[in-house]
């Protein structure tokens, strides 16, 4: 059994072993594995290593460079080369950076299986394209696709520890690699946090992680427990946490990278386990609710990357952490509680707890002087029915902010879709005996959930809610996503504050 006290050791021991270290090189000598990611047009490209051989093979196998195709050639040569791995990318003009990111994610696992001591990755599209988006996507795919969550295994068999190098002539390559490494480390940091079960990650552990990060990166860090929340009358957050023996924590990190810019607040749902509370969930799949802090992991992962990249912006990350448990001290369905902004909430379902913790957290973000608020949460199962497992939903009061998130997501490789929020939808969350209902039932569940949170954001503040209920974990390994936590949100939020 893993004790909570072991968590730091687990983290430090395993973190840097989980993924590939990527470096740049400008020569192709002395590798035992060479990996080529080739478009169909590359078949006649003479700058590729072993271009004559490639051409001859492609003449025999017409599908060699089709998208999704992989083949390996085994060598027994005096030069030490043991294997060439070829990944097809299809037509060059159709290839987007995100296609390359996915292909690189697949290829990385082939690389790890080949077990070369020194592996060279060569992708002409990333060597020659000068907007860097392809190089960036290649690096991110290689690193993210190599992720494994193995820190709870007592022994990890066959860990890959070879050197992987990417061929590049770009003079900026080292900067691009440094940035890709920071971003991917932060995504993997978030994935680890989400993949850890509820007995290992409790609100206190989230707070410990945040504190450790703030010390390393020089961030301002504040952690509020029950007493401080009572002082601030955060009745909604307290109501969710009070069924559990674990104390809820409201974590605030601040990064100031610019003297006179506005502050943007990133607010994450951090339910370390969601049993449903007294409105208890059915047995099937309840264990998946250990991922119900993926929003909090995303905002903490994002501020980690933003601070490490030293981006010229001001960011507040707030993680609203609690465990949602049934007990003699738990909130009951029917209870009426008062949130920090003074609004009263009739608790229809104790399983609609995410919007309750976020109610007080977005209010707190406004008190911290945020001029823009984005909240991110595994808020509903309804978002899976609406949009599936590839797209996150947005509910917002601001067209520009939505556009910014959607466009940042396109660059980052994450999909978003805005849902309408008509004034009529707000009627559904009105209570007869209190100000608001915490659930309006199944119709438009993503929208009413989002609008509920919007009721606690100060008027006139641009706000967007992102529902990652369907995208926080992947059902199977595919491309740069590995079965389990995806780390969704980190890349988009970093890209958003970067702004280009
Ligand atoms: N954390 C869940 C949402 C969830 C469920 C995400 C399954 C991913 C998969 C959330 O707290 C919840 O229980 N939501 C309820 C809301 C309802 C009671 C209004 C839901 O979606 O059923
Ligand atoms: Zn939940
Ligand atoms: Mn719930």
């Amino acid at each position: 059994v893993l004790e909570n006290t072991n968590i730091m050791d687990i983290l430090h021991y395993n973190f840097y072993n989980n993924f590939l270290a990527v470096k740049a090189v400008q020569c192709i000598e002395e590798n035992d594995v060479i990996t080529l990611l080739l478009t169909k047009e590359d078949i006649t490209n003479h700058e590729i290593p072993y271009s004559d051989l490639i051409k001859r093979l492609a003449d025999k196998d017409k599908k060699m460079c089709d998208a999704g195709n992989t083949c390996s050639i085994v060598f027994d040569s005096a030069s030490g080369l043991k294997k060439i791995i070829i990944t097809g990318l299809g037509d060059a003009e159709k290839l987007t950076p995100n296609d390359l990111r996915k292909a690189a994610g697949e290829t990385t696992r082939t690389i790890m299986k080949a077990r070369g001591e020194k592996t060279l990755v060569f992708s002409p599209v990333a060597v020659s394209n000068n907007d860097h988006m392809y190089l960036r996507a290649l690096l991110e795919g290689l690193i993210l696709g190599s992720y494994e969550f193995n820190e709870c295994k007592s022994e990890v068999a066959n860990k890959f520890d070879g050197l992987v190098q990417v061929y590049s002539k770009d003079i900026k390559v080292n900067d691009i690699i440094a940035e890709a490494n920071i971003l991917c480390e932060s995504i993997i940091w978030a994935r680890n946090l989400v993949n850890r079960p509820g007995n290992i990650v409790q609100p206190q552990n989230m707070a410990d992680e945040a504190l450790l990060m703030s010390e390393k990166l020089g961030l301002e860090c504040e952690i509020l427990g029950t007493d401080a929340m009572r002082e601030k009358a955060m009745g909604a957050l307290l109501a969710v946490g009070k069924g559990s023996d674990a104390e809820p924590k409201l974590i605030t990190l601040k990064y100031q990278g610019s003297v006179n810019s506005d502050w943007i607040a990133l607010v994450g749902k951090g339910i370390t386990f969601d049993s449903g509370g007294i409105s208890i969930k059915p047995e099937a799949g309840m264990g998946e609710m250990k991922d119900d802090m993926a929003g909090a992991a995303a905002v903490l992962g994002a501020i980690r990357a933003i601070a490490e990249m030293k981006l010229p912006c001001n960011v507040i990350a707030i993680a609203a952490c609690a465990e949602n448990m049934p007990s003699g001290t738990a909130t009951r369905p029917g209870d009426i509680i008062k949130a920090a902004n003074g609004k009263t909430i009739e608790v229809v379902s104790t399983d609609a707890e995410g919007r309750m913790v976020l109610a007080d957290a977005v209010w707190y973000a406004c008190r911290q002087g945020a001029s823009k608020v984005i909240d991110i949460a595994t808020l509903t199962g309804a978002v899976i029915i609406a949009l599936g497992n590839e797209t996150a939903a947005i509910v917002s009061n601001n067209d520009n902010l939505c556009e910014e998130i959607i466009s940042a997501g396109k660059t980052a490789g994450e999909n978003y879709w805005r849902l309408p929020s008509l004034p009529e939808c707000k009627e559904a969350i009105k209570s007869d005996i209190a100000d608001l209902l915490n659930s309006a039932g199944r119709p438009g569940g993503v929208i009413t959930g989002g609008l509920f949170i919007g009721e606690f954001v100060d008027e006139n503040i641009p706000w967007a809610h992102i529902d990652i209920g369907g995208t926080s974990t992947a059902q199977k390994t595919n491309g740069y996503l590995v079965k389990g936590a995806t780390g969704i949100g980190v890349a988009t939020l970093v890209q958003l504050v970067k702004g280009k």
Side-chain angles (χ1 to χ4, degrees):
V1 176
L2 293 157
E3 300 289 335
N4 283 344
T5 46
N6 284 339
I7 187 168
M8 286 294 131
D9 294 332
I10 293 172
L11 183 73
H12 288 133
Y13 179 71
N14 282 293
F15 186 48
Y16 286 95
N17 294 327
N18 268 349
F19 60 93
L20 303 171
V22 180
K23 284 191 188 166
V25 284
Q26 293 188 18
C27 81
I28 59 157
E29 308 303 321
E30 291 173 18
N31 291 286
D32 45 359
V33 177
I34 291 182
T35 306
L36 306 170
L37 292 99
L38 304 176
T39 65
K40 289 184 190 167
E41 286 71 6
D42 289 326
I43 293 167
T44 51
N45 182 340
H46 293 296
E47 291 183 15
I48 295 170
Y50 301 92
S51 57
D52 293 344
L53 175 67
I54 300 298
K55 172 90 179 57
R56 270 184 281 130
L57 291 170
D59 285 343
K60 289 247 159 58
D61 176 4
K62 298 283 181 234
K63 294 198 154 115
M64 189 175 84
C65 291
D66 281 10
N69 197 43
T70 310
C71 64
S72 296
I73 309 152
V74 178
F75 279 80
D76 180 14
S77 82
S79 74
L81 181 67
K82 294 189 185 118
K83 201 177 239 184
I84 294 183
I85 299 166
I86 299 167
T87 296
L89 298 174
D91 297 319
E93 77 268 20
K94 284 193 201 141
L95 185 80
T96 65
N98 208 41
D99 294 334
L100 184 61
R101 198 183 267 113
K102 285 183 189 161
E106 291 292 333
T107 305
T108 217
R109 291 185 289 273
T110 313
I111 290 173
M112 290 197 291
K113 274 187 210 130
R115 312 202 62 74
E117 259 173 58
K118 219 171 152 194
T119 301
L120 179 78
V121 178
F122 192 108
S123 179
V125 68
V127 172
S128 61
N129 210 297
N130 55 14
D131 74 356
H132 309 303
M133 291 315 287
Y134 287 90
L135 178 58
R136 182 186 150 175
L138 173 69
L139 296 168
E140 289 174 9
L142 287 172
I143 300 169
L144 295 175
S146 75
Y147 172 71
E148 275 168 25
F149 180 67
N150 52 25
E151 62 183 33
C152 293
K153 299 215 179 200
S154 50
E155 222 176 300
V156 181
N158 288 322
K159 198 170 242 168
F160 176 79
D161 60 358
L163 176 64
V164 177
Q165 296 179 303
V166 174
Y167 180 86
S168 176
K169 287 195 267 189
D170 195 320
I171 43 164
K172 279 197 170 165
V173 67
N174 286 320
D175 295 345
I176 296 162
I177 287 184
E179 210 158 87
N181 273 326
I182 293 173
L183 179 66
C184 295
E185 273 176 28
S186 299
I187 293 171
I188 286 167
W189 182 91
R191 285 182 183 178
N192 277 335
L193 210 53
V194 176
N195 279 329
R196 287 180 198 143
N199 64 325
I200 295 187
V201 173
Q202 300 230 308
Q204 179 63 55
N205 304 103
M206 302 280 291
D208 291 345
E209 291 285 346
L211 194 63
L212 185 71
M213 180 204 299
S214 72
E215 282 162 4
K216 278 191 188 156
L217 298 174
L219 308 176
E220 208 181 295
C221 177
E222 178 196 67
I223 291 154
L224 304 185
T226 307
D227 291 344
M229 288 178 204
R230 282 208 188 103
E231 250 165 56
K232 295 185 161 48
M234 295 180 164
L237 177 42
L238 284 164
V240 174
K242 78 194 182 88
S244 168
D245 287 347
E247 190 185 3
K249 301 282 173 189
L250 184 67
I251 302 165
T252 304
L253 294 179
K254 283 187 189 165
Y255 164 72
Q256 182 157 23
S258 160
V259 184
N260 35 14
S261 319
D262 289 343
W263 289 85
I264 178 168
L266 311 174
V267 184
K269 169 179 174 181
I271 300 298
T272 58
F273 181 67
D274 180 13
S275 69
I278 298 295
S279 314
I280 199 160
K281 287 181 179 295
E283 179 192 3
M286 195 199 277
E288 285 164 29
M289 286 298 113
K290 68 177 178 182
D291 81 351
D292 213 18
M293 28 61 73
V299 303
L300 295 176
I303 202 167
R304 180 191 191 278
I306 290 163
E308 218 169 320
M309 289 177 190
K310 301 192 167 68
L311 298 182
C313 57
N314 296 335
V315 179
I316 310 169
I318 299 181
C321 301
E323 187 181 40
N324 189 21
M325 293 294 250
S327 77
T329 59
T331 294
R332 292 156 284 257
D335 283 2
I336 295 175
I337 61 98
K338 192 186 248 183
N341 78 340
K343 290 192 183 176
T344 56
I345 304 164
E346 180 183 353
V347 179
V348 176
S349 168
T350 64
D351 199 11
E353 83 297 341
R355 62 201 74 185
M356 306 265 293
V357 299
L358 287 169
D360 284 339
V362 295
W363 171 84
Y364 196 58
C366 295
R367 302 286 73 67
Q368 303 302 299
S371 61
K372 252 188 219 177
V373 176
I374 297 174
D375 79 76
I376 178 163
T378 47
L379 204 81
T380 68
V383 74
I384 307 171
I385 308 304
L387 298 176
N389 292 109
E390 272 73 46
T391 307
I394 302 177
V395 175
S396 172
N397 64 5
N398 188 282
D399 295 351
N400 282 340
L401 187 55
C402 287
E403 280 312 311
E404 279 173 33
I405 295 169
I406 292 166
S407 131
K410 284 212 173 96
T411 306
E414 297 174 341
N415 298 311
Y416 299 89
W417 191 261
R418 185 184 187 181
L419 298 179
S421 43
L422 302 173
E424 285 81 351
C425 301
K426 277 198 188 168
E427 292 301 311
I429 51 171
K430 284 201 175 136
S431 163
D432 293 336
I433 55 170
D435 298 334
L436 294 164
L437 295 171
N438 82 331
S439 164
R442 295 183 69 187
V446 186
I447 298 169
T448 55
L451 289 176
F452 179 94
I453 298 165
E455 290 294 307
F456 300 86
V457 178
D458 285 10
E459 235 157 282
N460 303 322
I461 298 241
W463 154 78
H465 156 72
I466 303 175
D467 192 335
I468 53 169
T471 44
S472 60
T473 55
Q475 268 60 49
K476 58 175 175 39
T477 296
N478 183 25
Y480 50 92
L481 298 182
V482 175
K483 185 179 176 183
T486 58
I488 186 172
V490 176
T492 302
L493 294 173
V494 173
Q495 185 63 38
L496 181 83
V497 302
K498 231 169 145 188
K500 61 167 171 38

